Coordinates of all heavy atoms in Angstrom, one line a residue:
M10 N -3.9 -8.0 -8.5 CA -4.3 -8.0 -7.1 C -3.1 -8.5 -6.3 O -2.5 -9.5 -6.7 CB -5.6 -8.9 -6.9 CG -5.9 -9.0 -5.5 SD -7.5 -9.8 -5.2 CE -7.6 -11.1 -6.3
L11 N -2.8 -7.8 -5.3 CA -1.7 -8.3 -4.4 C -2.2 -8.4 -3.0 O -3.1 -7.6 -2.5 CB -0.6 -7.2 -4.4 CG 0.2 -7.1 -5.7 CD1 1.1 -5.8 -5.6 CD2 1.0 -8.3 -5.9
R12 N -1.7 -9.3 -2.3 CA -2.1 -9.5 -0.9 C -0.8 -9.2 0.0 O 0.2 -9.8 -0.3 CB -2.6 -10.9 -0.6 CG -4.0 -11.0 -1.2 CD -4.7 -12.2 -0.5 NE -6.1 -12.3 -1.0 CZ -6.5 -13.0 -2.0 NH1 -5.7 -13.7 -2.7 NH2 -7.8 -12.9 -2.4
V13 N -1.0 -8.4 1.0 CA 0.1 -8.0 1.8 C -0.2 -8.2 3.3 O -1.3 -7.9 3.8 CB 0.5 -6.5 1.6 CG1 1.6 -6.1 2.5 CG2 0.9 -6.3 0.2
A14 N 0.7 -8.9 4.0 CA 0.5 -9.1 5.5 C 0.8 -7.8 6.2 O 1.7 -7.1 5.9 CB 1.4 -10.2 6.0
V15 N -0.1 -7.4 7.1 CA 0.0 -6.2 7.9 C 0.6 -6.5 9.2 O 0.1 -7.3 10.0 CB -1.4 -5.5 8.1 CG1 -1.3 -4.3 8.9 CG2 -2.0 -5.2 6.7
P16 N 1.7 -5.8 9.6 CA 2.3 -6.0 10.8 C 1.5 -5.4 12.0 O 0.8 -4.4 11.8 CB 3.7 -5.4 10.7 CG 3.5 -4.3 9.7 CD 2.4 -4.8 8.7
I17 N 1.6 -6.0 13.1 CA 1.0 -5.4 14.3 C 1.9 -4.3 14.9 O 3.1 -4.6 15.0 CB 0.7 -6.4 15.4 CG1 -0.4 -7.4 14.8 CG2 0.2 -5.8 16.7 CD1 -0.7 -8.6 15.7
D18 N 1.4 -3.1 15.2 CA 2.2 -2.1 15.8 C 2.3 -2.3 17.3 O 1.5 -1.8 18.0 CB 1.6 -0.7 15.4 CG 2.5 0.4 15.8 OD1 3.5 0.2 16.4 OD2 2.1 1.6 15.4
V19 N 3.3 -3.0 17.7 CA 3.5 -3.4 19.1 C 3.8 -2.1 19.9 O 3.3 -2.0 21.0 CB 4.6 -4.4 19.2 CG1 4.9 -4.8 20.7 CG2 4.3 -5.7 18.5
S20 N 4.5 -1.2 19.4 CA 4.8 0.0 20.2 C 3.5 0.8 20.5 O 3.4 1.4 21.5 CB 5.8 0.9 19.5 OG 5.3 1.4 18.2
A21 N 2.6 0.9 19.5 CA 1.3 1.6 19.7 C 0.5 0.8 20.8 O -0.1 1.5 21.6 CB 0.6 1.7 18.4
V22 N 0.5 -0.5 20.7 CA -0.2 -1.2 21.7 C 0.3 -1.0 23.1 O -0.4 -0.7 24.1 CB -0.2 -2.8 21.4 CG1 -0.9 -3.6 22.5 CG2 -0.9 -3.0 20.1
T23 N 1.6 -1.0 23.3 CA 2.2 -0.8 24.6 C 2.1 0.6 25.1 O 1.9 0.8 26.3 CB 3.7 -1.3 24.7 OG1 4.4 -0.6 23.7 CG2 3.8 -2.8 24.4
S24 N 2.4 1.6 24.2 CA 2.3 3.0 24.6 C 1.0 3.5 25.0 O 0.8 4.3 25.8 CB 3.0 3.9 23.6 OG 2.2 3.9 22.4
T25 N -0.1 2.9 24.3 CA -1.4 3.4 24.6 C -2.2 2.5 25.5 O -3.3 2.8 26.0 CB -2.3 3.5 23.3 OG1 -2.3 2.2 22.7 CG2 -1.6 4.5 22.3
A26 N -1.6 1.3 25.8 CA -2.3 0.2 26.6 C -3.7 -0.1 26.0 O -4.6 -0.4 26.8 CB -2.4 0.7 28.0
S27 N -3.8 0.0 24.7 CA -5.1 -0.3 24.0 C -4.9 -1.5 23.1 O -4.0 -1.5 22.3 CB -5.5 0.9 23.2 OG -6.7 0.6 22.5
A28 N -5.8 -2.5 23.3 CA -5.8 -3.6 22.5 C -6.3 -3.4 21.0 O -6.2 -4.2 20.1 CB -6.6 -4.8 23.1
A29 N -6.9 -2.2 20.9 CA -7.5 -1.9 19.5 C -6.4 -1.8 18.5 O -6.6 -2.3 17.3 CB -8.2 -0.5 19.6
F30 N -5.2 -1.4 18.9 CA -4.1 -1.4 17.9 C -3.6 -2.8 17.5 O -2.9 -2.9 16.6 CB -3.0 -0.5 18.4 CG -3.3 1.0 18.3 CD1 -3.6 1.7 19.4 CD2 -3.4 1.6 17.1 CE1 -3.9 3.1 19.4 CE2 -3.7 3.0 17.0 CZ -4.0 3.7 18.1
A31 N -3.9 -3.7 18.4 CA -3.5 -5.1 18.1 C -4.4 -5.7 17.0 O -4.1 -6.6 16.3 CB -3.5 -6.0 19.3
L32 N -5.7 -5.2 17.0 CA -6.7 -5.7 16.0 C -6.6 -5.0 14.7 O -7.0 -5.6 13.7 CB -8.1 -5.6 16.7 CG -8.3 -6.3 18.0 CD1 -9.6 -6.0 18.6 CD2 -8.1 -7.8 17.8
A33 N -6.3 -3.7 14.7 CA -6.3 -2.9 13.5 C -5.1 -1.9 13.5 O -4.9 -1.3 14.6 CB -7.5 -2.1 13.3
T34 N -4.3 -1.9 12.5 CA -3.2 -1.0 12.4 C -3.4 0.1 11.4 O -3.6 -0.2 10.2 CB -1.9 -1.9 12.0 OG1 -1.8 -2.9 12.9 CG2 -0.6 -1.0 12.0
P35 N -3.2 1.3 11.8 CA -3.3 2.4 10.8 C -2.0 2.5 10.1 O -0.9 2.6 10.7 CB -3.6 3.7 11.6 CG -3.1 3.3 13.0 CD -3.2 1.8 13.1
L36 N -2.0 2.5 8.7 CA -0.8 2.6 7.9 C -1.0 3.6 6.8 O -2.1 3.7 6.3 CB -0.4 1.2 7.3 CG 0.0 0.1 8.3 CD1 0.1 -1.2 7.5 CD2 1.4 0.5 8.8
R37 N 0.0 4.3 6.4 CA 0.0 5.2 5.3 C -0.1 4.3 4.0 O 0.5 3.2 3.9 CB 1.2 6.1 5.2 CG 1.3 7.0 6.4 CD 1.6 8.4 5.9 NE 1.7 9.3 7.0 CZ 0.8 10.0 7.5 NH1 -0.4 10.0 6.9 NH2 0.9 10.8 8.5
V38 N -0.9 4.8 3.1 CA -1.0 4.1 1.8 C 0.3 3.9 1.1 O 0.6 2.8 0.6 CB -2.0 4.8 0.9 CG1 -2.1 4.3 -0.5 CG2 -3.4 4.8 1.5
G39 N 1.2 4.9 1.2 CA 2.5 4.7 0.6 C 3.3 3.6 1.2 O 4.0 2.9 0.5
D40 N 3.2 3.4 2.5 CA 3.9 2.3 3.2 C 3.3 0.9 2.7 O 4.0 -0.1 2.5 CB 3.7 2.4 4.7 CG 4.5 3.6 5.3 OD1 5.4 4.1 4.6 OD2 4.1 4.0 6.3
L41 N 2.0 0.9 2.5 CA 1.3 -0.4 2.0 C 1.8 -0.6 0.6 O 2.1 -1.8 0.2 CB -0.2 -0.3 2.1 CG -0.8 -0.5 3.5 CD1 -2.3 -0.1 3.5 CD2 -0.6 -1.9 3.9
L42 N 1.9 0.4 -0.2 CA 2.4 0.2 -1.6 C 3.8 -0.2 -1.6 O 4.2 -1.1 -2.4 CB 2.2 1.5 -2.4 CG 0.8 2.0 -2.7 CD1 0.9 3.3 -3.4 CD2 0.2 0.9 -3.6
A43 N 4.6 0.3 -0.7 CA 6.0 -0.2 -0.7 C 6.1 -1.7 -0.3 O 6.9 -2.4 -0.9 CB 6.8 0.7 0.3
A44 N 5.3 -2.1 0.7 CA 5.2 -3.5 1.1 C 4.7 -4.3 -0.1 O 5.2 -5.5 -0.3 CB 4.3 -3.6 2.3
A45 N 3.8 -3.8 -0.8 CA 3.2 -4.6 -2.0 C 4.3 -4.7 -3.1 O 4.4 -5.8 -3.7 CB 2.0 -3.9 -2.5
V46 N 5.1 -3.7 -3.3 CA 6.1 -3.8 -4.3 C 7.2 -4.8 -3.9 O 7.6 -5.6 -4.7 CB 6.8 -2.4 -4.5 CG1 8.1 -2.5 -5.3 CG2 5.8 -1.5 -5.3
I47 N 7.6 -4.8 -2.7 CA 8.6 -5.7 -2.2 C 8.0 -7.2 -2.3 O 8.7 -8.1 -2.7 CB 8.9 -5.4 -0.7 CG1 9.7 -4.1 -0.7 CG2 9.8 -6.5 -0.1 CD1 10.0 -3.5 0.6
E48 N 6.7 -7.3 -1.9 CA 6.1 -8.6 -2.1 C 6.1 -9.1 -3.5 O 6.3 -10.3 -3.8 CB 4.7 -8.6 -1.5 CG 3.9 -9.9 -1.6 CD 4.3 -10.9 -0.5 OE1 4.9 -10.5 0.5 OE2 4.1 -12.1 -0.8
A49 N 5.7 -8.2 -4.4 CA 5.6 -8.5 -5.9 C 7.0 -8.9 -6.5 O 7.1 -9.8 -7.3 CB 4.9 -7.4 -6.6
L50 N 8.0 -8.1 -6.1 CA 9.3 -8.4 -6.7 C 10.0 -9.6 -6.1 O 10.8 -10.2 -6.8 CB 10.2 -7.1 -6.5 CG 9.8 -5.9 -7.2 CD1 10.8 -4.7 -6.9 CD2 9.8 -6.1 -8.7
G51 N 9.6 -9.9 -4.9 CA 10.2 -11.1 -4.3 C 11.5 -10.8 -3.5 O 12.1 -9.7 -3.7
P52 N 11.9 -11.7 -2.7 CA 13.1 -11.5 -1.8 C 14.4 -11.5 -2.5 O 15.4 -10.9 -2.0 CB 13.0 -12.7 -0.9 CG 12.3 -13.8 -1.6 CD 11.4 -13.0 -2.5
R53 N 14.5 -11.9 -3.8 CA 15.8 -12.0 -4.5 C 16.0 -10.7 -5.4 O 17.0 -10.6 -6.0 CB 15.8 -13.2 -5.3 CG 15.7 -14.5 -4.4 CD 15.7 -15.7 -5.2 NE 17.1 -16.1 -5.4 CZ 17.6 -17.0 -6.1 NH1 16.7 -17.7 -6.8 NH2 18.9 -17.3 -6.2
A54 N 15.1 -9.8 -5.4 CA 15.2 -8.6 -6.3 C 16.3 -7.7 -5.7 O 16.4 -7.6 -4.5 CB 13.9 -7.9 -6.3
P55 N 17.1 -7.1 -6.5 CA 18.1 -6.2 -6.1 C 17.5 -5.0 -5.4 O 16.5 -4.5 -5.8 CB 18.9 -5.8 -7.3 CG 18.4 -6.7 -8.4 CD 17.1 -7.3 -8.0
Q56 N 18.2 -4.5 -4.4 CA 17.7 -3.4 -3.6 C 17.5 -2.1 -4.5 O 16.5 -1.4 -4.3 CB 18.7 -3.0 -2.5 CG 18.2 -1.9 -1.5 CD 17.0 -2.3 -0.8 OE1 16.7 -3.4 -0.5 NE2 16.2 -1.3 -0.5
D57 N 18.4 -1.8 -5.4 CA 18.2 -0.7 -6.3 C 17.0 -0.8 -7.1 O 16.2 0.2 -7.4 CB 19.4 -0.4 -7.2 CG 19.7 -1.5 -8.1 OD1 19.5 -2.7 -7.8 OD2 20.2 -1.2 -9.3
K58 N 16.6 -2.0 -7.6 CA 15.4 -2.2 -8.3 C 14.2 -1.9 -7.5 O 13.2 -1.3 -7.9 CB 15.3 -3.6 -9.0 CG 14.1 -3.8 -9.8 CD 14.1 -5.1 -10.5 CE 12.8 -5.2 -11.4 NZ 12.9 -6.4 -12.2
R59 N 14.2 -2.4 -6.2 CA 13.1 -2.2 -5.3 C 12.9 -0.7 -5.1 O 11.7 -0.2 -5.1 CB 13.4 -2.9 -3.9 CG 13.3 -4.3 -3.9 CD 13.6 -4.8 -2.6 NE 13.7 -6.3 -2.6 CZ 13.9 -7.0 -1.5 NH1 13.9 -6.4 -0.3 NH2 14.0 -8.3 -1.6
E60 N 13.9 0.0 -4.9 CA 13.9 1.5 -4.6 C 13.3 2.2 -5.8 O 12.5 3.1 -5.7 CB 15.2 2.0 -4.2 CG 15.7 1.5 -2.9 CD 17.1 1.9 -2.6 OE1 17.8 2.5 -3.4 OE2 17.6 1.5 -1.5
R61 N 13.7 1.8 -7.0 CA 13.2 2.5 -8.3 C 11.8 2.2 -8.4 O 11.0 3.1 -8.8 CB 14.0 2.0 -9.5 CG 15.4 2.5 -9.7 CD 15.9 2.2 -11.1 NE 15.7 0.9 -11.5 CZ 16.5 -0.1 -11.4 NH1 17.7 0.1 -10.8 NH2 16.3 -1.3 -11.9
V62 N 11.4 0.9 -8.3 CA 9.9 0.6 -8.5 C 9.1 1.3 -7.4 O 8.0 1.7 -7.7 CB 9.8 -0.9 -8.5 CG1 8.3 -1.3 -8.5 CG2 10.5 -1.5 -9.7
I63 N 9.5 1.3 -6.2 CA 8.7 2.0 -5.1 C 8.6 3.5 -5.5 O 7.5 4.0 -5.4 CB 9.4 1.8 -3.7 CG1 9.2 0.3 -3.3 CG2 8.8 2.7 -2.7 CD1 10.0 0.0 -2.1
R64 N 9.7 4.1 -5.9 CA 9.6 5.5 -6.2 C 8.7 5.8 -7.4 O 7.8 6.7 -7.3 CB 11.0 6.0 -6.6 CG 11.7 6.7 -5.5 CD 13.0 7.5 -6.1 NE 13.7 6.9 -7.1 CZ 14.8 6.1 -6.9 NH1 15.1 5.8 -5.7 NH2 15.4 5.6 -7.9
S65 N 8.7 5.0 -8.4 CA 7.8 5.2 -9.6 C 6.4 4.8 -9.2 O 5.5 5.5 -9.7 CB 8.3 4.4 -10.8 OG 8.2 3.0 -10.6
T66 N 6.2 3.9 -8.4 CA 4.8 3.5 -7.9 C 4.2 4.7 -7.1 O 3.1 5.1 -7.4 CB 4.8 2.2 -7.1 OG1 5.4 1.2 -7.9 CG2 3.4 1.8 -6.7
L67 N 4.9 5.2 -6.2 CA 4.4 6.3 -5.4 C 4.2 7.6 -6.2 O 3.2 8.3 -6.0 CB 5.4 6.6 -4.2 CG 5.5 5.5 -3.2 CD1 6.5 5.9 -2.1 CD2 4.1 5.3 -2.5
A68 N 5.1 7.8 -7.2 CA 5.0 9.0 -8.1 C 3.7 8.8 -8.9 O 3.0 9.8 -9.2 CB 6.2 9.1 -8.9
G69 N 3.5 7.6 -9.4 CA 2.3 7.4 -10.2 C 1.0 7.6 -9.5 O 0.1 8.2 -10.0
L70 N 1.0 7.2 -8.2 CA -0.2 7.4 -7.4 C -0.4 8.9 -7.1 O -1.5 9.5 -7.3 CB -0.2 6.6 -6.1 CG -1.4 6.8 -5.2 CD1 -2.6 6.2 -5.9 CD2 -1.1 6.0 -3.9
A71 N 0.7 9.6 -6.7 CA 0.6 11.0 -6.4 C 0.3 11.8 -7.7 O -0.3 12.8 -7.6 CB 2.0 11.5 -5.8
G72 N 0.8 11.4 -8.8 CA 0.5 12.1 -10.1 C -0.8 11.8 -10.7 O -1.2 12.4 -11.7
G73 N -1.6 10.9 -10.1 CA -2.9 10.7 -10.6 C -3.0 9.7 -11.8 O -4.0 9.6 -12.4
E74 N -1.9 9.0 -12.1 CA -2.0 8.0 -13.1 C -2.9 6.8 -12.8 O -3.4 6.2 -13.8 CB -0.5 7.5 -13.4 CG 0.4 8.5 -13.9 CD 1.8 8.0 -14.1 OE1 2.0 6.8 -14.3 OE2 2.7 8.8 -14.0
Y75 N -3.0 6.5 -11.6 CA -3.9 5.4 -11.2 C -4.4 5.6 -9.8 O -3.9 6.5 -9.1 CB -3.1 4.0 -11.3 CG -2.0 3.9 -10.3 CD1 -2.2 3.4 -9.1 CD2 -0.7 4.3 -10.7 CE1 -1.2 3.3 -8.2 CE2 0.3 4.2 -9.8 CZ 0.1 3.7 -8.5 OH 1.1 3.6 -7.6
V76 N -5.3 4.8 -9.4 CA -5.8 4.8 -8.0 C -5.6 3.3 -7.5 O -5.4 2.4 -8.2 CB -7.3 5.1 -7.9 CG1 -7.5 6.6 -8.3 CG2 -8.2 4.2 -8.6
V77 N -5.6 3.2 -6.2 CA -5.4 1.9 -5.6 C -6.6 1.6 -4.7 O -7.0 2.5 -3.9 CB -4.0 1.8 -4.8 CG1 -4.0 2.8 -3.6 CG2 -3.7 0.4 -4.3
E78 N -7.1 0.4 -4.7 CA -8.1 0.0 -3.9 C -7.6 -0.9 -2.8 O -6.9 -1.9 -3.1 CB -9.2 -0.8 -4.7 CG -10.3 -1.3 -3.9 CD -11.2 -2.2 -4.7 OE1 -12.1 -1.7 -5.3 OE2 -11.0 -3.4 -4.6
I79 N -7.8 -0.6 -1.6 CA -7.3 -1.4 -0.5 C -8.5 -1.9 0.3 O -9.2 -1.1 0.9 CB -6.3 -0.6 0.5 CG1 -5.1 0.0 -0.3 CG2 -5.9 -1.4 1.6 CD1 -4.3 0.9 0.4
D80 N -8.7 -3.2 0.3 CA -9.8 -3.8 0.9 C -11.1 -3.1 0.6 O -11.9 -2.8 1.5 CB -9.6 -3.9 2.4 CG -8.6 -5.0 2.8 OD1 -8.3 -5.9 2.0 OD2 -8.1 -5.0 4.0
G81 N -11.3 -2.7 -0.6 CA -12.6 -2.2 -1.1 C -12.7 -0.7 -1.0 O -13.7 -0.1 -1.5
R82 N -11.7 0.0 -0.4 CA -11.8 1.5 -0.4 C -10.7 2.0 -1.4 O -9.6 1.5 -1.5 CB -11.4 2.0 1.0 CG -12.6 1.8 1.9 CD -12.5 2.5 3.2 NE -12.4 4.0 2.9 CZ -12.0 4.9 3.8 NH1 -11.6 4.5 5.0 NH2 -12.0 6.1 3.5
I83 N -11.1 3.1 -2.1 CA -10.2 3.7 -3.1 C -9.4 4.8 -2.5 O -10.0 5.6 -1.8 CB -11.1 4.2 -4.3 CG1 -11.8 3.0 -4.9 CG2 -10.2 4.9 -5.3 CD1 -11.8 2.8 -6.3
Y84 N -8.1 4.8 -2.8 CA -7.2 5.8 -2.3 C -6.5 6.4 -3.5 O -6.1 5.7 -4.4 CB -6.2 5.2 -1.4 CG -6.8 4.7 -0.1 CD1 -7.2 3.3 0.0 CD2 -6.9 5.5 1.0 CE1 -7.8 2.9 1.2 CE2 -7.5 5.0 2.2 CZ -7.9 3.7 2.2 OH -8.5 3.2 3.4
T85 N -6.3 7.7 -3.4 CA -5.6 8.5 -4.5 C -4.3 9.2 -4.0 O -3.6 9.8 -4.8 CB -6.6 9.5 -5.1 OG1 -7.0 10.4 -4.1 CG2 -7.8 8.9 -5.7
D86 N -4.1 9.2 -2.7 CA -3.0 9.9 -2.2 C -2.1 9.0 -1.3 O -2.6 8.3 -0.4 CB -3.5 11.1 -1.3 CG -2.4 12.0 -0.8 OD1 -1.2 11.7 -1.0 OD2 -2.8 13.0 -0.1
P87 N -0.8 8.9 -1.5 CA 0.1 8.0 -0.7 C 0.2 8.4 0.7 O 0.6 7.7 1.5 CB 1.4 8.1 -1.4 CG 1.4 9.3 -2.3 CD 0.0 9.6 -2.6
H88 N -0.3 9.7 1.1 CA -0.2 10.1 2.5 C -1.5 9.8 3.2 O -1.6 10.0 4.4 CB 0.0 11.6 2.5 CG 1.4 12.0 2.0 ND1 1.5 12.5 0.7 CD2 2.6 11.8 2.5 CE1 2.8 12.6 0.5 NE2 3.5 12.3 1.5
D89 N -2.5 9.3 2.5 CA -3.8 8.9 3.2 C -3.5 7.7 4.2 O -2.5 7.0 4.0 CB -4.9 8.4 2.2 CG -5.5 9.5 1.5 OD1 -5.3 10.7 1.9 OD2 -6.1 9.3 0.4
V90 N -4.3 7.5 5.1 CA -4.1 6.4 6.1 C -5.2 5.4 6.0 O -6.4 5.8 5.9 CB -4.1 7.0 7.6 CG1 -4.1 5.9 8.6 CG2 -3.0 8.0 7.8
A91 N -4.8 4.1 5.9 CA -5.8 3.0 5.8 C -5.6 2.2 7.1 O -4.5 2.0 7.6 CB -5.5 2.2 4.6
V92 N -6.8 1.9 7.7 CA -6.8 1.0 8.9 C -6.9 -0.4 8.4 O -7.9 -0.8 7.8 CB -7.9 1.4 9.8 CG1 -7.9 0.5 11.1 CG2 -7.8 2.9 10.3
C93 N -5.9 -1.2 8.8 CA -5.8 -2.6 8.2 C -5.7 -3.6 9.3 O -5.3 -3.3 10.4 CB -4.5 -2.7 7.3 SG -4.4 -1.4 6.1
S94 N -6.0 -4.8 9.0 CA -5.9 -5.9 9.9 C -5.5 -7.2 9.2 O -6.1 -7.5 8.1 CB -7.2 -6.1 10.6 OG -7.2 -7.2 11.4
G95 N -4.6 -7.9 9.7 CA -4.3 -9.2 9.1 C -3.6 -9.1 7.8 O -2.4 -8.8 7.7
T96 N -4.3 -9.3 6.7 CA -3.8 -9.3 5.4 C -4.8 -8.3 4.6 O -6.0 -8.4 4.7 CB -3.9 -10.7 4.7 OG1 -3.1 -11.5 5.5 CG2 -3.3 -10.6 3.3
V97 N -4.1 -7.4 3.8 CA -4.9 -6.5 2.9 C -4.8 -6.9 1.5 O -3.8 -7.5 1.1 CB -4.5 -5.1 3.1 CG1 -4.8 -4.6 4.5 CG2 -3.1 -4.8 2.8
T98 N -5.8 -6.6 0.7 CA -5.8 -6.8 -0.7 C -5.7 -5.5 -1.4 O -6.5 -4.6 -1.2 CB -7.0 -7.6 -1.1 OG1 -7.1 -8.8 -0.4 CG2 -7.0 -7.9 -2.6
L99 N -4.7 -5.4 -2.3 CA -4.5 -4.2 -3.1 C -4.8 -4.4 -4.5 O -4.4 -5.4 -5.1 CB -3.1 -3.6 -3.0 CG -2.7 -3.1 -1.6 CD1 -2.1 -4.1 -0.7 CD2 -1.7 -2.0 -1.8
R100 N -5.6 -3.5 -5.2 CA -5.9 -3.6 -6.6 C -5.6 -2.2 -7.2 O -5.9 -1.3 -6.6 CB -7.3 -4.1 -6.8 CG -7.5 -5.5 -6.3 CD -8.9 -6.0 -6.6 NE -9.9 -5.1 -6.9 CZ -11.1 -5.5 -7.5 NH1 -11.2 -6.7 -7.9 NH2 -12.0 -4.5 -7.8
F101 N -5.0 -2.2 -8.4 CA -4.6 -1.0 -9.0 C -5.5 -0.7 -10.2 O -5.8 -1.7 -11.0 CB -3.2 -1.0 -9.5 CG -2.2 -1.2 -8.3 CD1 -2.0 -2.4 -7.8 CD2 -1.6 -0.1 -7.7 CE1 -1.1 -2.6 -6.7 CE2 -0.7 -0.2 -6.7 CZ -0.5 -1.5 -6.2
F102 N -6.0 0.5 -10.4 CA -6.9 0.8 -11.5 C -6.3 2.1 -12.2 O -6.1 3.1 -11.5 CB -8.3 1.1 -11.1 CG -9.0 -0.1 -10.5 CD1 -9.0 -0.2 -9.1 CD2 -9.6 -1.1 -11.2 CE1 -9.6 -1.3 -8.5 CE2 -10.2 -2.2 -10.7 CZ -10.2 -2.3 -9.3
L103 N -6.1 2.0 -13.5 CA -5.7 3.2 -14.3 C -6.9 4.2 -14.3 O -8.0 3.8 -14.4 CB -5.3 2.8 -15.7 CG -4.0 2.0 -15.9 CD1 -3.9 1.6 -17.3 CD2 -2.8 2.9 -15.4
R104 N -6.5 5.5 -14.2 CA -7.5 6.5 -14.3 C -8.3 6.5 -15.5 O -9.5 6.6 -15.5 CB -6.9 7.9 -14.1 CG -6.4 8.2 -12.8 CD -7.5 8.7 -11.9 NE -7.0 9.2 -10.7 CZ -7.7 9.8 -9.8 NH1 -9.0 10.0 -10.0 NH2 -7.2 10.2 -8.7
R105 N -7.7 6.3 -16.7 CA -8.4 6.3 -17.9 C -9.4 5.1 -18.0 O -10.4 5.2 -18.6 CB -7.5 6.3 -19.1 CG -6.6 5.1 -19.3 CD -5.8 5.1 -20.6 NE -5.0 4.0 -20.7 CZ -3.7 4.0 -20.4 NH1 -3.1 5.1 -20.0 NH2 -3.0 2.9 -20.5
A106 N -9.1 4.0 -17.4 CA -10.1 2.9 -17.3 C -11.3 3.3 -16.5 O -12.4 2.8 -16.8 CB -9.4 1.6 -16.8
L107 N -11.1 4.0 -15.4 CA -12.3 4.4 -14.6 C -13.1 5.4 -15.4 O -14.3 5.4 -15.3 CB -11.8 5.1 -13.3 CG -11.1 4.1 -12.3 CD1 -10.6 4.9 -11.1 CD2 -12.2 3.1 -11.9
R108 N -12.5 6.3 -16.2 CA -13.3 7.3 -16.9 C -14.1 6.7 -18.1 O -15.2 7.1 -18.4 CB -12.4 8.3 -17.5 CG -12.0 9.4 -16.5 CD -11.2 10.5 -17.2 NE -10.0 10.7 -16.5 CZ -8.8 10.6 -16.9 NH1 -8.6 10.3 -18.2 NH2 -7.7 10.7 -16.2
A109 N -13.6 5.6 -18.6 CA -14.3 4.9 -19.7 C -15.5 4.1 -19.3 O -16.4 3.9 -20.1 CB -13.3 4.0 -20.4
A110 N -15.5 3.8 -18.0 CA -16.7 2.9 -17.5 C -17.9 3.7 -17.3 O -18.0 4.8 -17.2 CB -16.2 2.3 -16.2

């Protein structure tokens, strides 16, 4: 389980003049996964390692090797959009573990 801080989309708030975007930010699942990888590897990880792990993580999700649960909702596509606020919790589940249950 990983926890990732969600940034507020200030440009969306100012361009739409809507406070709703200050409370909840729509983000692609792939972007959340990239943030989770960076969080998990830490600030001292080399950039090339971050890029490799992000690529393999996104490829695994797109290839159906696993699913990711973000704040209780299951996502299978890195292009899906999750509406997030504050901090999100990500959990990863292998497909074969889901079939066995």
Side-chain angles (χ1 to χ4, degrees):
M10 175 170 44
L11 293 169
R12 289 198 172 95
V13 177
V15 176
I17 294 174
D18 190 354
V19 177
S20 65
V22 174
T23 57
S24 66
T25 63
S27 174
F30 288 107
L32 301 174
T34 304
L36 291 171
R37 296 224 181 266
V38 171
D40 294 336
L41 284 170
L42 288 177
V46 165
I47 291 168
E48 180 75 22
L50 292 177
R53 301 180 85 189
Q56 185 63 29
D57 63 325
K58 181 174 184 174
R59 289 181 189 183
E60 291 170 0
R61 282 194 317 268
V62 174
I63 290 170
R64 263 195 319 272
S65 67
T66 302
L67 294 175
L70 182 62
E74 294 176 25
Y75 65 91
V76 297
V77 64
E78 180 190 273
I79 301 171
D80 284 345
R82 288 195 59 197
I83 301 231
Y84 295 90
T85 59
D86 186 358
H88 296 100
D89 286 344
V90 175
V92 178
C93 310
S94 171
T96 302
V97 295
T98 302
L99 290 89
R100 296 183 340 159
F101 298 84
F102 298 96
L103 290 174
R104 287 275 191 176
R105 66 175 176 259
L107 289 176
R108 279 188 235 121

